[in-house]
Amino acid sequence: MSFTDVLLLMFSAILIENFIFSRFYGCCPFLGVSEKPETALGMGMAVTFVMTMASALTWVVYYSILAPLGLEYLKTIAFILVIAALVQLIELFLRRFIPALYASLGIYLPLITTNCAVLGAALVNIQEGYSFIASVAYGFAAAIGFTLAIVIFAGVRMRLQFADPPRAFRGFPLTLVAAGLLAMAFSGFSGFSFG
């Protein structure tokens, strides 16, 4: 892949094939941690670190260990183990150096291990046959797209606190309607094509 191809892949991962709004990966933390922009940004940064590192490490594990030994069928299990180890590292780091963010992320930090966005990026990299550089770039860009989506939605949810919707829409129903409208806005990017 040329440098331009990698940039187009990254642009596509951020806007056109956004993991939240296009692929619907990672909806649990998207809905659970998006009440405040600060918390959403913290979750986005944690996911960015984990997804970028996981994309690099899972590519190495797949092409250096699993594929040469004919163990490709173990990729999901192997990738989950790599992701779990990365999440433990970031959890230890946050607990030690940024305890306020660690406390605000709560249960959602360990849930990054089972966040389908992180696993999805690793699996898409292998499925599409991306090179190492393209895999890392795709993982990073997909995480930036995740972060963009969750931070924008946190801003929307803050505005929803001042809304006075009908009783049937109060609380979670209005949150889902807002998420749907935001997903529709992002679907406007789907008309772009490169090539």
Side-chain angles (χ1 to χ4, degrees):
M1 278 188 137
S2 69
F3 180 71
T4 305
D5 291 336
V6 172
L7 287 179
L8 292 175
L9 177 69
M10 291 176 71
F11 178 78
S12 177
I14 293 170
L15 293 176
I16 299 169
E17 296 176 12
N18 185 284
F19 269 35
I20 299 266
F21 297 130
S22 178
R23 295 182 181 253
F24 306 110
Y25 294 166
C27 289
C28 177
F30 172 72
L31 293 170
V33 188
S34 61
E35 290 182 4
K36 292 190 257 178
E38 304 83 28
T39 309
L41 183 61
M43 174 59 97
M45 291 181 348
V47 167
T48 300
F49 173 78
V50 172
M51 196 180 293
T52 305
M53 294 301 295
S55 294
L57 292 175
T58 55
W59 190 94
V60 170
V61 165
Y62 184 81
Y63 287 107
S64 299
I65 299 170
L66 299 178
L69 296 174
L71 300 173
E72 293 93 344
Y73 59 91
L74 292 176
K75 70 179 174 234
T76 304
I77 294 170
F79 290 2
I80 288 172
L81 290 174
V82 168
I83 293 165
L86 286 170
V87 170
Q88 286 301 311
L89 280 174
I90 199 165
E91 193 170 355
L92 290 171
F93 176 81
L94 289 178
R95 188 181 318 159
R96 174 90 166 102
F97 296 107
I98 313 173
L101 180 58
Y102 174 78
S104 68
L105 290 175
I107 188 65
Y108 293 99
L109 186 58
L111 285 179
I112 294 174
T113 302
T114 56
N115 185 342
C116 57
V118 178
L119 181 60
L123 291 173
V124 167
N125 287 333
I126 301 304
Q127 178 183 350
E128 297 295 327
Y130 294 146
S131 66
F132 178 76
I133 298 296
S135 292
V136 173
Y138 181 79
F140 176 73
I144 294 298
F146 177 90
T147 303
L148 178 69
I150 199 169
V151 169
I152 288 173
F153 191 58
V156 169
R157 286 184 77 175
M158 283 190 65
R159 297 287 305 244
L160 289 178
Q161 292 175 357
F162 302 109
D164 186 25
R167 202 169 94 187
F169 283 98
R170 289 188 185 141
F172 200 63
L174 186 60
T175 301
L176 291 177
V177 169
L181 291 172
L182 202 51
M184 285 174 45
F186 264 74
S187 73
F189 293 110
S190 65
F192 287 105
S193 76
F194 304 107

